[in-house]
Amino acid sequence: MNLIRIADQKKSELQKERMRSSSENNRGLNSRFFTLRSRLNTALALGFRKDEGGRRWCCTDVETQRHVVRSIDAFLDCISSDTSHHPLVKESLADIVPALGTTLVQKNETAMKVASKVFVRMVNVVPTSVLESLVLDIIHPLSSSLSSSHVPVVISCATALNLILSSLSSKKDKQVWKILEETETIHNIIHHINGSNNNKPAEFFLETISLLSKILFRYPSSRFRVWNDARLMEVLDFLIHEPIFSVKAAVLHLNGAKKLLNFGTQLMVECMDGSNPSYLQLAGFTLAECFVVSEEGRSKMIESYCEPLVKAIINGLKLHSGKLTKDMMSLIKVSCCVSKIICYPGKHHGHFWKLGIESLLLNLLVDDFYIKKLPQQLEELADVARDGLSANFLPAIKPHVWDILGGLAAHCAQDFHANMVKNELHLNFLITCACLGFVDSIRSTRQSCRNVVNESVSRAVVLMIYSPSEYIANKAKSVLSGMLKPNYKEDIKYLLNTLNATSSGVTTVSDNLQLINLISLACYSGLPQYRRYVIKNQGINILLSFIQQLSQNNTNTNTNTNTSLHYCDHNLKMCCYGCEEDWEGEETFMLFGLLGLAELVHHLGDVELTELTRSQIVTQVENICINSCASGPQWYGAYLLTYFRIYGFPSKLGNIIGNVLSDEHTNLRLNLANKEHVNVHGVIVEVRCPSLLPSSTGDLGRKEIRLSAHVSHQALSKLLEYVYSGHLREEGEEVVKRLKTLAKHCNLHSLLEILCRNRPKWRTPVPTFDLTPALRPNACHFSDIVLEAKGNAYDDWTCETCSFSQPHLHAHKAVLCASCEHMRALLNSGMQESHSESIKVDLGWEALVILVNWFYCGKLRPKPKYGCLWNNLNEKEKLDQVIPYVELYCLSDTWLLEDLHEECSRVIGSWLDSVKMAIRIMQIGADCFQWDLVEMAAKFIAPSYHSLRNSGELLLLDEELVDIGTGQNRLWNRNRKRSKDAIGTGPPV
């Protein structure tokens, strides 16, 4: 009996423990929850069927479907934020999602309306983290149902998808995109918007356009087809002028700045106005942010709506009293991004100063508490600045503040002074804060060998030190010099030793730290008190070695044409933009290295340099000017060369065209007043220096042009040296003086800047050596040769210059002979071709255009398509794009055009993405005996070689080519086996 009693007691205790555990696990769940869950399970059981893989929900009865959906709706009523993560809720959701999804895709209007609404409710009630495992099962039926013709269903599905995509993890991006493609989501949305009428509710446009916006933002490759839909652009243009703010904001969020330029920037600026709701302001600023990164967009904003744009930005930057909400913070951030328009040249900088930009930046940098206690004595500002910065006020905004301050300093006018500022004390405090942040950056990197401060503050300081405004430059130098004085020797030695060790390969540092060190050394080089110490410690030689190492690394790694030909900003997730030549590009280190070196040489004087150092600097900098892809290094390289009596912008094509300056085949004479004359090539002078020629095109047919009596033969000769080659060499100061006058009258502003040895203006585009304007129909005055493409005449092909129907180009012997030895030999051979007015080139029309453009500018034009521009072409269009480059690849080998041969190889290699294309390339390459091309294509098809052979797709190839494919396949299999063996026999853990 005792044993039975003990057993009963233990059983009772166990039951109590289970009840207690169950009670704790079900905390927050009331009886109503269990009742509704029971009813839900009963309803769901009506549709579940057993299957081989378990069970699936399958029900076609409409009344049953509606009953189940109502049960789901009721169950969602009892889910709260506290209970949503409960295991019982998750278990129920795993049954709810397939039931709702299946009901939705049954295409019954009544059931679809109810199910889609419940889907919206579920996504609203249940956190995304809970639905994450089920998100693909949710997205598929919702996106499939967007093809419905029922407006309420489309609205609900779009609303639910909007909610999901707003918080979806990027881990599932590929899977989600695959579903959206399979269900033709974008096509269905565009179809609904294009087929809409005035009877559609505003909610319909809001949700569908918002969904399209989210998809485009998340998946940039989808934008091409959207922005190239003419009908959609028309509808959006109509909608954006409607008075409904929410719809207008949704359209603006379709951040296709390149296409939405058609809507006009005026409307965008109006939406940015502070009188609008915050969401409409935010939408306007978001679009303006896209305009900022586009040269076309910037120009349109600055030229047409400068003042209202600046006022809107100023209003967006204001900190209002009270708690800073999430919406306010978002608006300030995007306003800061749009404010970066300050970093570009234009007439807008004066408006920012007039409206007190310095006070607004200060309010974003430190708390108002420190601003109110600012002392009038400049010596005491540093203490307040130190306290204010240490408070860590709005840390996410600080980098933007430094960028804007640096942009303002870089683009100040030379005569900028204190009277142009609304609050001089605030500007002085800003400068002090920046200098203090910069000094802290140097100290932290020197002491811990890592950068703990954003590089933006260092950039701001270096731009202030080298500002065109003497007022800002002197203020920054004065403040910074005092702060650096205690430790300047240790700082300079550390910076030089680190750069020297890096260039020697002794040690490596992070890119961020390396950039900070370069900027820091450039700052020290700009301070008179410390510059001599930098020079004394071999600063010039160390910087030169570092630049040489950078140049060598850039040459070795610059093999990807995509980076230079297709622009994609990953922060904004923008694409489909033409590449805009950047001031720094990927050569930021080179830019600041040249800036520091130029400053040291400027104050040292070339007399104190050894002959070897002089020669090394000139050789290295000329190579940088020729090979750099960014304007900044080219400008500072050209500026540095002026100290060695070299003026202009050396380039590869300029060096080539410069060789024909003394060529005997000229067609124009420039007569001087003293009866001297100079023979020139009309085409080169017309493009490079049109001011030397008459303004009337009718006068260009003359063979002689009389110049002003003020033009000397010596100055004209040097000017023509620049016109032909892009740069000139001169030792005499008197000639330089006369050349300045001539360059000014000829509107050669870039040459004048270089001759005056003015420090380069930040973000000013470099003048490129480009003769392609001579190929335009209205500029064929000096054309003396016609190049014909092979093949039959096109029905729709016409020439604006002549009546010849065969596809052809009007070119110039001088340019062709300079750019191509083959053409020079052909035109000077004395044989039939040298006397003929036309020459047939063994190229198709498209390839001929690219070839001639290469001769005239040294670049591939039209630019090859990359990214989404390429991906959205069909297979035939891709093949049509690649064939001209295959033709050029073969021709360039025969004509010994090595650079063009290499460029074509890169383009073909980057475009090779289909078996059919590879097979076609193999055949063409074999026909032209280009075995490298054959091997490239054979390597591509190697992984699928056997399946291709079995399917008969290789029957069109010669046996020799098939053998090459076999060899590449064996090599591929061998390498794959080695890779697997290496993984399998890795080092023991």
Side-chain angles (χ1 to χ4, degrees):
M1 291 293 294
N2 289 337
L3 291 175
I4 294 174
R5 193 181 302 110
I6 293 172
D8 289 341
Q9 186 177 355
K10 286 184 177 181
K11 185 176 180 180
S12 176
E13 290 175 356
L14 185 60
Q15 287 176 344
K16 288 180 180 179
E17 182 65 29
R18 286 176 178 171
M19 290 177 64
R20 190 183 304 112
S21 176
S22 177
S23 176
E24 290 176 357
N25 289 337
N26 293 334
R27 185 174 297 169
L29 302 182
N30 52 30
S31 58
R32 182 170 176 268
F33 172 87
F34 290 102
T35 300
L36 292 174
R37 184 171 184 270
S38 176
R39 292 176 182 173
L40 172 65
N41 290 335
T42 303
L44 287 170
L46 298 174
F48 275 116
R49 302 287 184 267
K50 289 186 178 181
D51 203 351
E52 292 180 1
R55 61 175 188 164
R56 63 186 180 88
W57 208 86
C58 180
C59 177
T60 57
D61 182 70
V62 176
E63 288 304 319
T64 303
Q65 289 175 348
R66 294 177 64 182
H67 171 62
V68 171
V69 171
R70 283 195 295 268
S71 301
I72 295 171
D73 193 27
F75 177 71
L76 292 175
D77 269 338
C78 61
I79 298 178
S80 64
S81 56
D82 295 330
T83 61
S84 58
H85 290 81
H86 196 280
L88 292 179
V89 174
K90 293 181 179 179
E91 184 181 313
S92 297
L93 289 171
D95 292 335
I96 288 172
V97 169
L100 280 178
T102 304
T103 302
L104 199 57
V105 298
Q106 290 293 328
K107 304 298 181 184
N108 180 279
E109 180 181 355
T110 306
M112 287 181 76
K113 286 181 180 178
V114 182
S116 59
K117 286 183 178 180
V118 174
F119 252 130
V120 173
R121 187 157 183 226
M122 180 183 71
V123 175
N124 263 316
V125 169
V126 183
T128 308
S129 57
V130 177
L131 293 173
E132 189 171 0
S133 60
L134 303 167
V135 72
L136 299 180
D137 296 322
I138 296 172
I139 290 176
H140 196 284
L142 288 172
S143 57
S144 297
S145 301
L146 285 174
S147 61
S148 172
S149 59
H150 308 299
V151 173
V153 173
V154 173
I155 293 174
S156 296
C157 290
T159 303
L161 285 170
N162 267 317
L163 292 167
I164 293 171
L165 292 180
S166 296
S167 54
L168 183 66
S169 168
S170 59
K171 295 178 181 178
K172 295 185 181 292
D173 269 351
K174 287 184 179 180
Q175 295 164 289
V176 171
W177 175 240
K178 186 177 179 181
I179 293 174
L180 296 179
E181 280 193 307
E182 288 175 354
T183 56
E184 298 184 325
T185 301
I186 293 177
H187 169 78
N188 290 328
I189 295 173
I190 294 176
H191 174 74
H192 284 305
I193 297 173
N194 287 349
S196 59
N197 52 53
N198 295 332
N199 297 327
K200 298 282 179 69
E203 187 184 7
F204 170 83
F205 294 108
L206 173 63
E207 296 300 337
T208 53
I209 295 174
S210 296
L211 176 58
L212 187 59
S213 175
K214 285 185 174 64
I215 294 173
L216 264 59
F217 181 84
R218 202 172 187 104
Y219 307 102
S221 61
S222 64
R223 296 175 189 173
F224 184 86
R225 73 186 81 167
V226 175
W227 292 343
N228 282 275
D229 190 308
R231 169 61 182 162
L232 177 65
M233 292 299 124
E234 290 177 9
V235 175
L236 294 178
D237 195 5
F238 171 78
L239 290 173
I240 204 168
H241 290 92
E242 288 293 285
I244 306 171
F245 284 163
S246 58
V247 175
K248 189 178 292 191
V251 176
L252 287 173
H253 271 300
L254 275 173
N255 54 5
K258 196 74 174 179
K259 292 295 178 183
L260 293 179
L261 274 169
N262 298 326
F263 294 151
T265 51
Q266 180 180 0
L267 188 61
M268 178 187 71
V269 174
E270 289 174 0
C271 292
M272 295 164 63
D273 189 82
S275 60
N276 292 315
S278 59
Y279 64 83
L280 184 57
Q281 278 184 270
L282 191 60
F285 272 101
T286 302
L287 179 57
E289 186 181 1
C290 300
F291 274 52
V292 170
V293 298
S294 160
E295 184 178 4
E296 184 182 359
R298 283 197 306 272
S299 300
K300 197 163 187 178
M301 286 195 295
I302 294 172
E303 294 300 324
S304 304
Y305 307 100
C306 184
E307 197 164 354
L309 172 71
V310 173
K311 286 181 179 178
I313 294 173
I314 290 292
N315 185 67
L317 290 173
K318 287 181 180 177
L319 271 178
H320 300 284
S321 58
K323 186 179 179 181
L324 191 62
T325 64
K326 186 178 179 181
D327 287 344
M328 290 180 184
M329 191 64 182
S330 298
L331 186 58
I332 291 172
K333 280 184 178 180
V334 76
S335 299
C336 285
C337 292
V338 178
S339 299
K340 304 245 177 111
I341 200 170
I342 287 171
C343 300
Y344 296 90
K347 61 182 182 180
H348 50 298
H349 301 93
H351 292 290
F352 278 102
W353 288 117
K354 286 178 183 177
L355 294 175
I357 182 67
E358 70 284 350
S359 298
L360 287 172
L361 293 179
L362 193 56
N363 284 326
L364 295 173
L365 188 65
V366 296
D367 192 272
D368 191 52
F369 169 77
Y370 299 98
I371 298 175
K372 290 178 179 178
K373 57 187 287 190
L374 283 181
Q376 295 296 321
Q377 299 298 324
L378 296 180
E379 296 79 9
E380 301 175 14
L381 287 178
D383 294 331
V384 182
R386 186 172 286 103
D387 293 339
L389 290 176
S390 62
N392 205 27
F393 179 68
L394 298 180
I397 302 297
K398 277 187 174 63
H400 297 293
V401 172
W402 301 134
D403 286 341
I404 297 167
L405 179 61
L408 285 168
H411 295 286
C412 271
Q414 191 170 1
D415 59 352
F416 179 87
H417 51 81
N419 293 338
M420 297 181 179
V421 184
K422 288 189 72 174
N423 194 318
E424 185 182 4
L425 180 61
H426 285 179
L427 178 58
N428 289 331
F429 189 56
L430 264 180
I431 294 173
T432 304
C433 288
C435 291
L436 185 63
F438 172 74
V439 173
D440 288 344
S441 175
I442 294 180
R443 299 290 180 265
S444 64
T445 53
R446 185 160 67 87
Q447 294 170 6
S448 60
C449 294
R450 64 187 182 89
N451 178 43
V452 295
V453 181
N454 193 292
E455 70 187 45
S456 298
V457 67
S458 301
R459 284 175 176 267
V461 171
V462 78
L463 290 178
M464 287 192 294
I465 288 176
Y466 293 100
S467 173
S469 164
E470 291 185 9
Y471 171 79
I472 289 185
N474 291 336
K475 285 283 184 186
K477 288 177 182 179
S478 175
V479 174
L480 188 61
S481 296
M483 292 181 178
L484 291 175
K485 187 175 182 179
N487 303 97
Y488 78 91
K489 290 185 177 180
E490 292 85 351
D491 288 343
I492 291 173
K493 286 182 179 180
Y494 164 77
L495 294 171
L496 292 174
N497 290 337
T498 304
L499 289 176
N500 191 34
T502 303
S503 59
S504 304
V506 176
T507 184
T508 57
V509 296
S510 68
D511 287 349
N512 186 256
L513 178 58
Q514 186 168 281
L515 183 58
I516 294 295
N517 289 340
L518 275 172
I519 294 175
S520 301
L521 189 59
C523 286
Y524 266 114
S525 301
L527 300 174
Q529 301 95 317
Y530 313 123
R531 185 185 301 119
R532 178 55 61 177
Y533 194 75
V534 175
I535 296 172
K536 180 181 176 181
N537 284 272
Q538 300 298 311
I540 291 179
N541 291 330
I542 290 174
L543 264 178
L544 180 59
S545 297
F546 186 80
I547 289 169
Q548 287 173 332
Q549 185 65 33
L550 278 177
S551 182
Q552 184 178 350
N553 291 341
N554 289 345
T555 302
N556 293 336
T557 57
N558 186 24
T559 57
N560 186 4
T561 52
N562 292 27
T563 57
S564 60
L565 294 172
H566 185 73
Y567 176 80
C568 183
D569 186 303
H570 297 288
N571 294 323
L572 291 175
K573 287 193 174 181
M574 294 173 63
C575 67
C576 298
Y577 286 83
C579 176
E580 179 183 334
E581 187 180 76
D582 193 57
W583 175 256
E584 300 175 26
E586 298 180 357
E587 302 175 48
T588 305
F589 304 120
M590 185 73 75
L591 171 61
F592 286 106
L594 288 171
L595 189 155
L597 182 60
E599 190 66 13
L600 295 177
V601 171
H602 170 68
H603 290 281
L604 176 65
D606 60 342
V607 179
E608 298 183 48
L609 293 172
T610 65
E611 193 60 37
L612 177 62
T613 304
R614 284 168 54 87
S615 175
Q616 287 178 334
I617 291 176
V618 170
T619 302
Q620 187 59 51
V621 174
E622 282 186 323
N623 288 334
I624 291 170
C625 290
I626 291 171
N627 297 313
S628 177
C629 296
S631 295
Q634 291 182 61
W635 259 113
Y636 267 94
Y639 170 64
L640 184 53
L641 288 175
T642 61
Y643 293 100
F644 304 95
R645 302 293 181 179
I646 300 172
Y647 302 92
F649 305 87
S651 66
K652 189 174 291 186
L653 183 61
N655 290 338
I656 292 171
I657 300 298
N659 292 328
V660 303
L661 176 57
S662 57
D663 191 274
E664 60 184 20
H665 299 294
T666 57
N667 55 5
L668 188 65
R669 174 181 287 187
L670 302 179
N671 291 327
L672 300 166
N674 59 359
K675 296 185 179 181
E676 291 183 297
H677 69 271
V678 179
N679 294 322
V680 296
H681 302 84
V683 58
I684 297 174
V685 175
E686 182 185 16
V687 173
R688 297 278 296 156
C689 188
S691 298
L692 279 176
L693 302 181
S695 57
S696 173
T697 56
D699 294 335
L700 292 177
R702 299 186 310 173
K703 298 300 181 182
E704 297 185 12
I705 304 294
R706 179 169 294 278
L707 301 181
S708 168
H710 300 288
V711 179
S712 71
H713 184 277
Q714 198 174 15
L716 178 62
S717 298
K718 284 299 171 184
L719 183 74
L720 290 174
E721 185 180 339
Y722 173 80
V723 168
Y724 272 72
S725 66
H727 65 284
L728 60 96
R729 298 172 185 268
E730 182 52 54
E731 297 291 339
E733 289 295 336
E734 184 61 31
V735 177
V736 171
K737 183 178 179 181
R738 292 180 181 178
L739 195 53
K740 288 178 184 178
T741 304
L742 188 55
K744 183 177 181 180
H745 285 292
C746 290
N747 297 316
L748 296 175
H749 302 296
S750 299
L751 175 60
L752 184 60
E753 288 287 313
I754 289 294
L755 290 171
C756 294
R757 198 174 281 166
N758 293 329
R759 183 176 282 113
K761 295 177 182 176
W762 210 254
R763 290 194 178 275
T764 303
V766 75
T768 56
F769 199 99
D770 186 359
L771 299 177
T772 52
L775 297 172
R776 295 169 185 165
N778 61 347
C780 290
H781 321 291
F782 298 105
S783 173
D784 50 10
I785 190 71
V786 171
L787 300 179
E788 296 180 35
K790 70 178 181 180
N792 299 322
Y794 299 102
D795 294 335
D796 57 348
W797 195 92
T798 57
C799 178
E800 297 181 29
T801 306
C802 68
S803 58
F804 189 38
S805 60
Q806 179 71 20
H808 64 275
L809 282 169
H810 292 268
H812 310 82
K813 291 181 180 179
V815 180
L816 298 180
C817 290
S819 302
C820 178
E821 286 295 330
H822 178 86
M823 293 298 294
R824 172 182 283 273
L826 196 65
L827 295 171
N828 294 332
S829 64
M831 299 178 69
Q832 181 181 354
E833 289 84 358
S834 61
H835 303 292
S836 176
E837 294 181 357
S838 65
I839 295 177
K840 291 188 177 181
V841 183
D842 190 25
L843 289 174
W845 168 245
E846 291 82 5
L848 179 62
V849 171
I850 299 171
L851 174 68
V852 175
N853 276 319
W854 176 270
F855 290 154
Y856 279 69
C857 70
K859 298 178 182 178
L860 296 177
R861 290 185 182 175
K863 292 180 180 179
K865 294 180 179 179
Y866 291 103
C868 58
L869 301 177
W870 171 260
N871 295 331
N872 281 279
L873 299 177
N874 59 41
E875 193 165 356
K876 181 183 180 303
E877 290 170 331
K878 288 183 177 180
L879 193 59
D880 290 341
Q881 289 280 321
V882 79
I883 290 300
Y885 285 92
V886 176
E887 292 181 38
L888 279 174
Y889 180 90
C890 301
L891 181 85
S892 59
D893 185 48
T894 306
W895 286 15
L896 303 179
L897 299 169
E898 295 181 5
D899 289 344
L900 179 59
H901 191 71
E902 185 179 346
E903 285 297 316
C904 289
S905 176
R906 291 176 184 173
V907 173
I908 295 168
S910 63
W911 278 354
L912 191 54
D913 64 357
S914 75
V915 170
K916 288 185 178 180
M917 183 188 294
I919 293 173
R920 182 89 169 95
I921 290 173
M922 282 184 72
Q923 190 63 64
I924 297 174
D927 293 341
C928 299
F929 303 102
Q930 297 294 321
W931 301 112
D932 287 344
L933 196 61
V934 172
E935 187 176 353
M936 180 196 300
K939 284 181 179 179
F940 180 83
I941 66 173
S944 52
Y945 173 76
H946 286 299
S947 61
L948 292 172
R949 191 162 191 175
N950 294 336
S951 65
E953 292 189 53
L954 300 181
L955 292 177
L956 296 176
L957 295 179
D958 297 336
E959 191 62 35
E960 184 181 3
L961 298 181
V962 175
D963 291 340
I964 293 175
T966 304
Q968 288 296 330
N969 177 256
R970 288 172 182 166
L971 181 63
W972 179 79
N973 283 323
R974 192 181 304 125
N975 291 336
R976 186 176 64 167
K977 185 176 184 304
R978 285 176 181 173
S979 299
K980 288 182 178 179
D981 291 343
I983 294 172
T985 59
V989 179

